[in-house]
Amino acid sequence: MDDYLVFQLYAPLASWGGQAVGQERPSDDHPGRSALLGLLAAALGIRREEEAEHRALSNACRFGIRLLAPGLALRDFHTIQVPPVAKKQQHLQTRRDELREPRVGTMLSFRSYRQDAVSVVAVTSNDARFRPAILLDTLFEPVFPLYLGRKACPPALPLNPEVISAPHLRAALDSYCIAPCLAKCCSGPSRYYWEAGMKPGMVHDYQAPRYDQPISRQHWQFAPRDEFVCLGGE
């Protein structure tokens, strides 16, 4: 039996960033590894510049996800004023500094969100500093605010974390009870996602690359990894 930290994620809007190309800022329908590590890091109070701590957390944790409701897609049009790029320009520290520049241009982007998506997440750890019982306490009393991908997407319900002992990932995910008010959002079979190194307790229907393995939080760099997917069958 292994210990899993299991919790729910729900918000009216969530954004699980995919690969950004040009003006598009897409969202996957379920949380990725980078977003979940960021959520735990925020709860633990790890700052973005603390690269060694982020690396230790990443090396310790593995994630599995039960997607109960993918939600509806929402695409939002954004404009933002930014100063022109100049090689000799002094680095601008804040947004206020940017807007004080004598010349600003307009940048356009399209940002995607998921509406009323519901996920259950299970976490395992091989590092005593980040064992499920410790992560449980931090999710009840996080150091920094928690977000579902973007700062505009705070959780709409408590995460209700539990430590569950189970023989494998699927048993841990299936034994967790979501908040009753979320039942109306969930219809149809669940989908399951997990990463290499876990005991899934199910056979994957396919695997696909996902570019959400953090290399550097400070420089916002990511590497690919394999994600395994079960479409809900036994």
Side-chain angles (χ1 to χ4, degrees), residues 6 8 66 68 120 160 162 164 172-180:
V6 189
Q8 65 185 13
R66 181 184 181 187
L68 293 164
V120 175
N160 290 348
E162 298 179 20
I164 297 176
L173 289 170
D174 287 350
S175 62
Y176 181 85
C177 295
I178 61 170

Side-chain angles (χ1 to χ4, degrees), residues 1 24 28 33 70 81 83 108 132 140 147 162 170 189 192 201 205 220 222 227 231:
M1 301 286 277
E24 290 289 341
D28 292 315
R33 178 172 171 78
Q81 289 184 305
L108 308 179
F140 276 122
Y147 306 108
E162 298 179 20
R170 183 155 186 174
Y192 298 83
D205 292 298
W220 217 243
F222 303 91
E227 184 175 65
L231 300 178

Side-chain angles (χ1 to χ4, degrees), residues 77-124:
F77 176 69
H78 276 242
T79 64
I80 183 171
Q81 289 184 305
V82 292
V85 177
K87 292 183 179 178
K88 295 183 179 180
Q89 187 178 37
Q90 184 180 2
H91 180 67
L92 303 175
Q93 297 288 341
T94 67
R95 178 66 177 150
R96 185 179 183 183
D97 293 338
E98 290 184 337
L99 295 178
R100 280 177 167 175
E101 288 294 294
R103 296 173 54 206
V104 291
T106 301
M107 180 185 294
L108 308 179
S109 66
F110 297 89
R111 303 187 181 190
S112 295
Y113 300 85
R114 306 299 300 191
Q115 303 174 82
D116 291 327
V118 182
S119 298
V120 175
V121 178
V123 188
T124 62

Side-chain angles (χ1 to χ4, degrees), residues 164-215:
I164 297 176
S165 294
H168 49 70
L169 173 66
R170 183 155 186 174
L173 289 170
D174 287 350
S175 62
Y176 181 85
C177 295
I178 61 170
C181 60
L182 294 179
K184 62 181 180 181
C185 299
C186 306
S187 61
S190 301
R191 298 204 300 268
Y192 298 83
Y193 303 86
W194 66 94
E195 54 186 295
M198 304 189 78
K199 294 190 289 186
M202 54 192 142
V203 178
H204 67 274
D205 292 298
Y206 66 92
Q207 68 184 76
R210 196 164 182 188
Y211 294 83
D212 62 354
Q213 170 61 50
I215 298 174

